Amino acid sequence: MLPLSKKTEYAILALAYLARRAGKTVSARQMAQAYGLPLAMLMNVLKVLHHEGLLHSERGVKGGYRLAADPGAVTLYDLMRSVDGPSRSDRIIGTAGDRAFLSPIRTLQSRLVDFLKNIKLSMLVTPEEAGG
């Protein structure tokens, strides 16, 4: 099983919550309470998603977040790189010494990246496309 970071998990949950409330502005507190997430960590993730253009942010008493990007145009790979940055394996593989040993690792990594690039966020966050 491919482990996802907490940041990626929180991002998926937040995007799913917002996708189910298309066009509505939702506070970070509402999302955190809905899933029992720590508000501070969720707010950090939401800030990154806003910076990456996936969310609109509105300040003020009635402020909050709403989707800015089409979930069908963003991949799970894009999301993971947005919230987590370059993966640790990207850095390790680029600098290790034994190239013969790394060939199967590179092949595996390449296939995992291809797989993640084929998972659109809409498959995870949009009920109609997820079959839910």
Side-chain angles (χ1 to χ4, degrees):
M1 182 170 160
L2 179 68
L4 299 175
S5 72
K6 287 290 182 195
K7 288 181 182 181
T8 297
E9 289 177 7
Y10 292 2
I12 292 169
L13 291 172
L15 292 168
Y17 193 86
L18 293 170
R20 290 185 192 107
R21 288 150 186 85
K24 295 183 181 178
T25 301
V26 179
S27 74
R29 186 173 308 281
Q30 285 174 284
M31 287 183 266
Q33 288 175 345
Y35 293 113
L37 304 176
L39 180 59
M41 177 107 164
L42 178 62
M43 288 177 69
N44 286 335
V45 170
L46 294 171
K47 180 179 173 182
V48 170
L49 296 176
H50 174 256
H51 177 73
E52 293 292 322
L54 298 173
L55 299 179
H56 285 294
S57 172
E58 293 181 29
R59 293 180 180 242
V61 176
K62 295 188 179 189
Y65 298 89
R66 67 181 187 283
L67 286 179
D70 173 10
V74 181
T75 68
L76 181 55
Y77 180 77
D78 298 332
L79 181 66
M80 291 171 72
R81 297 213 26 121
S82 293
V83 298
D84 293 323
S87 71
R88 182 171 177 246
S89 61
D90 286 345
R91 292 189 300 270
I92 292 170
I93 288 175
T95 59
D98 185 359
R99 299 297 174 209
F101 174 74
L102 291 178
S103 180
I105 305 295
R106 280 199 183 123
T107 299
L108 174 61
Q109 182 175 353
S110 175
R111 289 188 179 187
L112 286 173
V113 166
D114 290 344
F115 174 75
L116 294 171
K117 285 181 176 179
N118 285 308
I119 299 175
K120 302 292 184 189
L121 287 184
S122 60
M123 298 165 69
L124 304 173
V125 304
T126 308
E128 305 81 50
E129 293 189 36

